[in-house]
Amino acid sequence: WTLQFVFLVSGWFQKLLKSRVSLSTQHEQETQVTSVSTAPSFTSSSCSLSSSSSAAAETAPSKPQPLRSALSSPQRWNRKYDLLVCHSSADSDTEEAKRLVSFLEASPRSLRCFLWCRDVCLGGAVSTEFCQAMQDSHLQALLITPTFLQDDWCRYMMHQTLAEGPMSNRLIPLVQNLSHCQYPQELKFCFYINLSSNTDRGYNKINETVLRYLEELVKKEKKNECNVDTTGNRSTGEVNSQTDDLTI
């Protein structure tokens, strides 16, 4: 009986252990199945979020590029025109000057140009009108061509422009259909913009030159304002110190 009881008890324990092992194995399998089944739904949701964010980024309107501050500065509006374009009366030179001005005045450049064949006041003295146009313009561009060099009036405009300030960076020589040996002696020291080979590139250089000049005007004005503020603060400090000395 004792042996039979021992065998019965050991068999009962073996069955109990097997049932617990099978239950734990079944529980692990169910957990794995559950995790596998939920994983795709999370992935799909993340994919949908990423696709929606990318779609929103694509449909979002792009921010407009800010205009250069020099174009809206008070220093620019101190003069009526940004650029005075001087050219000869030859048809080819006049058409070239019109194309240049149309390019510079078009958006987004929107420069203010004085074109001699278009904006001169009829009935006025020629020399007086030209000198007034120079005073009203920040910069002067000379369209130098073979016809320009042969015209006495054009040479007068060139000399007047040089007399205004040869080293003031207000003169932009433009050469077209000229070899280097044909450049006028009066402008040998200046940098030229050549319109003979690549006109579009030359037009863009002119636009950048005008913008850089206007930006320099703004920088100089800010520097002068800072100097004035510094001088004013120093004067105020000196007055206060003298008052303190008198008070003591």
Side-chain angles (χ1 to χ4, degrees), residues 23-136:
L23 288 173
S24 62
T25 304
Q26 183 178 1
H27 178 70
E28 291 177 356
Q29 292 177 352
E30 291 176 353
T31 304
Q32 292 178 355
V33 170
T34 304
S35 62
V36 170
S37 61
T38 56
S41 62
F42 175 77
T43 305
S44 62
S45 62
S46 62
C47 291
S48 62
L49 288 174
S50 62
S51 62
S52 62
S53 61
S54 63
E58 291 177 357
T59 56
S62 58
K63 294 182 179 180
Q65 295 294 330
L67 294 175
R68 292 196 180 187
S69 59
L71 294 179
S72 57
S73 64
Q75 292 76 22
R76 180 199 181 197
W77 295 97
N78 286 337
R79 295 181 186 264
K80 187 176 180 181
Y81 302 102
D82 301 314
L83 183 67
L84 164 65
V85 180
C86 305
H87 58 89
S88 73
S89 58
D91 292 340
S92 58
D93 292 0
T94 302
E95 292 301 320
E96 183 64 35
K98 289 180 178 179
R99 284 192 294 269
L100 170 61
V101 169
S102 297
F103 175 85
L104 296 176
E105 291 180 340
S107 180
R109 292 166 293 275
S110 303
L111 295 182
R112 302 166 303 157
C113 298
F114 183 95
L115 183 60
W116 182 254
C117 65
R118 180 191 67 184
D119 300 317
V120 68
C121 182
L122 299 179
V126 177
S127 57
T128 303
E129 290 297 321
F130 178 74
C131 291
Q132 185 61 48
M134 280 202 306
Q135 293 297 326
D136 291 341

Side-chain angles (χ1 to χ4, degrees), residues 75 212-225:
Q75 292 76 22
R212 280 198 302 268
Y213 179 85
L214 296 177
E215 288 172 353
E216 287 298 322
L217 284 182
V218 175
K219 290 179 182 178
K220 289 179 181 178
E221 183 66 22
K222 290 181 179 179
K223 186 177 180 180
N224 293 336
E225 290 176 356

Side-chain angles (χ1 to χ4, degrees), residues 114-178:
F114 183 95
L115 183 60
W116 182 254
C117 65
R118 180 191 67 184
D119 300 317
V120 68
C121 182
L122 299 179
V126 177
S127 57
T128 303
E129 290 297 321
F130 178 74
C131 291
Q132 185 61 48
M134 280 202 306
Q135 293 297 326
D136 291 341
S137 304
H138 285 289
L139 297 166
Q140 294 87 39
L142 300 178
L143 180 58
I144 305 173
T145 63
T147 307
F148 184 95
L149 296 177
Q150 296 171 5
D151 193 321
D152 292 337
W153 164 243
C154 292
R155 296 191 68 87
Y156 171 82
M157 288 194 294
M158 179 178 65
H159 291 149
Q160 285 297 114
T161 304
L162 289 171
E164 182 71 16
M167 304 301 292
S168 62
N169 296 326
R170 295 180 60 193
L171 175 62
I172 307 177
L174 313 174
V175 297
Q176 189 176 50
N177 303 324
L178 283 179

